[in-house]
């Protein structure tokens, strides 16, 4: 899902997700390039030479889809033609051109080489509307048919044993669930990683591919789509020979060379629908109705828009019956919906398939699993040694399901392997949340002055008797800046991860509620649900929350965050509901999730505000469409807490 430049790809977005360098914190359209040193040249040439000595290489195969459009594929397979081979399939919107055109060098071929050495065919295919693949791109619009057709094509090849496994992170993973639901007999196993933008709806999330959170727009897509919606692009004539396409790929890679964008400024532009105009970006599905669309432009849609159900997203009414090895990470944008999807498949798949669903949850940023080190730092917080042998796990999985090897991998692996921050160690469980986990509630309280870190907000075991609401002004022209967080792909606009939030807590429009120092350590592993009783003088507004681990020295590290747009407080499949000035409303926000051990002496903290920008778009507070507005109004918001209005945070505690 994340547009990067060619050198970042390395095999990245097209190769094994476990080996991906997906660069979530780099500019979405960075023009930077890796240094092409003599050592890099020698390594690339050596890998390319070794691969060509071991593999039959078929490049720029144009594979026909059912509508006649052709998708470009490269195939690498062992030279021993007396055997048939299972296929590892990587489909991506990103560039996997063999040649680095601007340097005249082959790219790093590590994953292709490893697959061939291990007795696999390795197939890379560009999504529709990208690089050499024909057709127009609509975000996850055609993958259900294109992915199904690609699987059928691979299974019918004379070198194939009829079994295909998929792998990849981000955009290379997001299409897998929807295609798995098509029931293609060749689809034998999948390894989706960081795949949240492929999840349309899974209770209680209505995100339509991480486009929304709590009804607010997650602005990462605005930055990402800038480099993806290439509706006008050069293409070769349909009758161009494979030989000429291969030759042309050494001179042309069809990669857009878009202007560098400072997304920290660009995302501030109003109205939102004109952000691309302001940066001279390409037309496409973000703000324009395209011929392939079944509905309006994406920015015009609502969380339950019918158009989202006609595209390639996976929704929870679609049965998945493919063995799955799911990779997630705590500081990714989609860990909540990802875990909900994992649990849903375990509950709804055929019994034998439901028992073949496994998960890994790492303490990293988006697609950063293999970048973990002996001392993994995510933002500013140390996670200790967060490494796993992902290559061993990956090939053991594929060997079992694609080759039929009885290697005992399913008996050896826990159903859920999750990393608990704070104690910084991997743990295992048969379920998520772990068995025995129980909800524990803390209630918001104050003397009416919870504003800032120096306020009087507390979290306690019971709700206060009387209501002394905490009030603050939310000005959409001066929103709370996103600082760290569970994010991806906003270019330089937001740096993801865990950061000390104290400098943010100096703002008067942030309410701060903290427990007393814990007398005993507490593991929180599972969903975190926040219910607020709120009022406003605006017709519509937002409420945001962050869950924070406060150290004895005051450092306050963010764990997860969420938002709720109040017009959708009654449900995304319900009519929009406006606010009445001064009336108190009960609002339950979209769940957060984490695994964190709060040591004795630490505090649990909840921040409450009405903006987290540009992680989420600003509510202009007018009751209008937001995306076409340039001026907002100040909302005078309040959080109520009493026995009548028991605002609370419910955490999931694992006691051992």
């Amino acid at each position: 899902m994340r547009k990067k430049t060619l050198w970042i790809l390395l095999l990245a977005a097209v190769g094994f997700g476990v080996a991906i360098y997906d660069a979530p914190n780099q500019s979405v359209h960075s023009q930077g390039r890796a240094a092409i040193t003599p050592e890099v040249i020698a390594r690339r040439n050596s890998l390319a030479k070794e691969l060509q000595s071991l593999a039959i290489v078929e490049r720029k195969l144009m594979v026909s889809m059912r509508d006649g459009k052709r998708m470009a594929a490269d195939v690498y397979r062992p030279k021993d033609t007396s055997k048939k081979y299972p296929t590892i399939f990587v489909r991506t919107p990103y560039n996997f051109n063999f040649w680095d055109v601007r340097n005249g060098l082959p790219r790093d071929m590590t994953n292709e080489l490893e697959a061939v050495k291990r007795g696999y065919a390795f197939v890379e295919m560009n999504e529709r509307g990208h690089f050499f693949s024909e057709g127009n791109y609509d975000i996850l619009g055609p993958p259900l048919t294109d992915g199904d057709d690609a699987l059928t094509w691979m299974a019918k090849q004379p070198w194939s044993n009829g079994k295909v496994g998929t792998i990849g992170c981000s955009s290379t993973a997001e299409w897998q669930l929807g295609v798995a639901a098509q029931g293609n007999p060749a689809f034998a196993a999948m390894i989706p990683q960081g795949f949240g933008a492929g999840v349309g709806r899974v209770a209680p999330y209505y995100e339509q591919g991480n486009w929304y959170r709590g009804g607010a727009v997650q602005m990462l897509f605005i930055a990402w789509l800038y480099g993806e919606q290439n509706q006008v692009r050069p293409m070769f004539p349909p009758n161009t020979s494979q030989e000429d396409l291969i030759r042309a790929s050494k001179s042309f890679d069809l990669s857009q060379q878009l202007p560098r964008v400072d997304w920290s400024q660009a995302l501030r532009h109003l109205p939102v629908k004109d952000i691309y105009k302001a940066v001279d970006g390409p037309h496409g599905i973000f703000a324009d109705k395209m011929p392939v669309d079944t509905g309006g432009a994406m920015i015009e849609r609502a969380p339950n828009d019918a158009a989202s159900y006609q595209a390639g997203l996976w929704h929870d009414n679609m049965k998945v019956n493919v063995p799955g090895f799911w990779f997630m990470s705590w500081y990714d944008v989609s860990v909540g919906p990802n875990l909900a999807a994992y649990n849903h498949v375990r509950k709804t798949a055929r019994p034998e398939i439901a028992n073949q669903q496994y998960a890994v949850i790492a303490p990293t940023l988006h697609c950063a699993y293999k970048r973990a080190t002996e001392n993994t730092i995510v933002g500013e917080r140390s996670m200790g040694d967060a490494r796993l042998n992902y290559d061993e796990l990956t090939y053991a999985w594929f060997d079992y399901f694609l080759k039929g090897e009885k290697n005992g991998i399913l008996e050896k692996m826990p159903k859920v392997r999750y990393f608990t921050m704070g104690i910084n160690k991997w743990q295992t469980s048969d379920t998520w949340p772990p068995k025995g986990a129980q909800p524990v509630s803390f209630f918001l309280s104050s003397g009416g002055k919870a504003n800032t870190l120096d306020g009087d907000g507390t979290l306690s075991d019971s709700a206060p008797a009387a209501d002394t609401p905490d009030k603050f002004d939310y000005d959409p022209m001066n929103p709370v800046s996103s600082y760290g967080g569970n994010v991806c792909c906003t270019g330089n606009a937001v740096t993801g991860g865990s950061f000390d939030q104290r400098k943010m807590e100096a703002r008067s429009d942030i309410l701060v509620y903290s427990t007393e120092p814990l007398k005993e350590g507490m593991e929180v592993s599972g969903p975190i649900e926040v219910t607020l009783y709120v009022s406003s003088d605006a017709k519509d507004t937002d409420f945001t929350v962050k869950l924070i681990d406060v150290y004895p020295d005051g450092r306050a590290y963010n764990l997860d965050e969420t938002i709720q747009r109040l017009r959708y407080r009654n449900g995304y499949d319900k009519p929009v509901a406006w606010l009445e000035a001064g009336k108190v409303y009960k609002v339950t926000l979209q769940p957060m999730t984490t695994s964190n051990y709060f040591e004795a002496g630490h505090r649990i903290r909840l921040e409450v505000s009405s903006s987290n920008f540009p992680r989420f778009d600003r509510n202009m507070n007018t009751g209008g469409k937001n995306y076409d507005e340039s001026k907002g109004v100040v909302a005078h918001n309040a959080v109520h807490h009493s026995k009548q209005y028991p605002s609370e945070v419910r955490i999931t505690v694992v006691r051992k």
Side-chain angles (χ1 to χ4, degrees), residues 143-145 147-148 151 177-185 187 318-320:
L144 294 185
T145 55
D148 195 48
L151 290 168
L177 284 180
V179 174
Q182 305 310 298
N184 193 301
F187 204 162
M318 302 164 66
K319 290 290 182 70
V320 171

Side-chain angles (χ1 to χ4, degrees), residues 384-572:
D385 191 345
R387 294 172 295 180
L388 277 183
N389 193 333
Y390 291 105
D391 291 338
E392 179 181 336
L393 293 171
T394 294
Y395 277 108
W397 177 266
F398 280 146
D399 288 346
Y400 181 88
F401 285 104
L402 303 187
K403 291 184 176 180
E405 293 185 4
K406 304 303 181 184
N407 54 18
I409 181 66
L410 301 191
E411 292 75 23
K412 297 174 186 175
M413 286 203 311
K415 283 292 191 292
V416 180
R417 190 192 313 255
Y418 66 100
F419 192 93
T420 300
M421 301 173 286
I423 53 172
N424 293 348
K425 73 174 185 179
W426 288 101
Q427 302 200 83
T428 63
S429 175
D430 290 333
T431 62
W432 185 262
K435 287 181 179 178
Q438 296 293 327
V440 173
S441 289
F442 291 96
F443 294 88
L444 281 63
S445 181
S446 78
K449 297 186 181 298
N451 313 71
T452 80
L453 175 61
D454 298 321
D456 61 1
T458 65
L459 293 175
S460 57
D461 294 337
S462 60
D467 182 30
T468 51
D470 295 305
K471 301 177 181 179
F472 64 96
D473 296 341
Y474 160 49
D475 181 357
M477 300 297 107
N478 182 30
V480 173
S481 297
S482 303
Y483 186 53
N486 313 66
V487 300
C488 171
C489 318
T490 54
N492 63 337
V494 184
T495 298
S498 192
F499 291 87
D500 186 348
Q501 299 293 309
R502 285 178 292 182
K503 73 175 187 179
M504 303 303 300
E505 294 168 351
R507 291 182 58 125
S508 62
D509 55 356
I510 295 179
L511 308 179
V512 179
Y513 303 91
S514 305
T515 65
E516 291 296 316
L518 298 176
K519 295 181 180 179
E520 297 180 347
M522 180 184 296
E523 180 184 333
V524 176
S525 291
I528 300 104
E529 295 185 351
V530 175
T531 296
L532 300 177
Y533 288 81
V534 301
S535 61
S536 177
D537 65 352
K539 191 175 181 181
D540 183 40
T541 194
D542 295 343
F543 278 86
T544 64
V545 300
K546 286 184 182 179
L547 183 71
I548 293 172
D549 183 350
V550 183
Y551 282 53
D553 63 5
R555 286 173 294 158
Y557 289 123
N558 51 298
L559 297 172
D560 201 357
E561 57 198 358
T562 190
I563 190 171
Q564 184 61 51
R565 185 146 292 174
L566 293 198
R567 68 177 67 184
Y568 300 119
R569 67 187 180 277
N570 295 330
Y572 307 99

